[in-house]
């Protein structure tokens, strides 16, 4: 059995939201997708490996859950709970203009 955690708690632990109440509002406002599916309840379970799409303040972020966490700790600790896939794609796809035929490793 895989470990799970409530989505609103995870968003709070990972510091995407300051409180669980704000996280619940984000979820209930249809601004969160889990593995491409709209999430309707703040208590929806997340597991490591899940991909979240967050739409907040006109910005869309693609996040992979790496760990669940046990508390809302410092920012350095919170950053170990997820991987920002948009940021990873930008870093890995920066190629020299002289290179041809190089495929993006994330495609």
């Amino acid at each position: 059995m895989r470990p799970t955690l409530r989505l609103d708690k995870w968003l709070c632990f990972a510091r995407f939201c300051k409180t669980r109440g704000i996280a619940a509002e984000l979820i209930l406002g249809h601004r969160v997708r889990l593995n491409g599916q709209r999430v309707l309840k703040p208590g929806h379970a997340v597991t490591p490996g899940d991909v979240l799409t967050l739409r907040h303040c006109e910005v869309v972020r693609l996040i992979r859950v790496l760990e669940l966490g046990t508390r809302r700790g410092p920012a350095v600790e919170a950053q170990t709970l997820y991987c920002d896939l948009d940021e990873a794609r930008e870093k890995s796809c920066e190629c020299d203009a002289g290179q041809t035929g190089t495929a993006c490793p994330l495609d």
Side-chain angles (χ1 to χ4, degrees), residues 1 3 5 10 15 21 28-31 33 36 40 43 50 55 59 65 87 90 92 95-97 99 103 106-107:
M1 193 163 91
L5 185 69
W10 188 86
R15 293 184 161 259
L28 293 172
H30 305 290
R31 292 179 279 171
R33 289 184 177 262
L40 302 174
D50 285 343
R55 185 172 44 95
V59 176
V65 177
E87 189 175 287
E90 288 174 9
S92 67
C95 301
D96 292 334
Q99 294 178 338
L106 298 178
D107 284 341

Side-chain angles (χ1 to χ4, degrees), residues 23-24 41 74 77 86 94 100:
K41 296 181 181 179
E77 182 180 317
D86 293 327
E94 292 175 356
T100 57

Side-chain angles (χ1 to χ4, degrees), residues 74-94:
V76 174
E77 182 180 317
Q79 290 171 350
T80 65
L81 301 180
Y82 65 91
C83 173
D84 191 335
L85 296 177
D86 293 327
E87 189 175 287
R89 183 178 193 88
E90 288 174 9
K91 287 181 182 177
S92 67
C93 292
E94 292 175 356

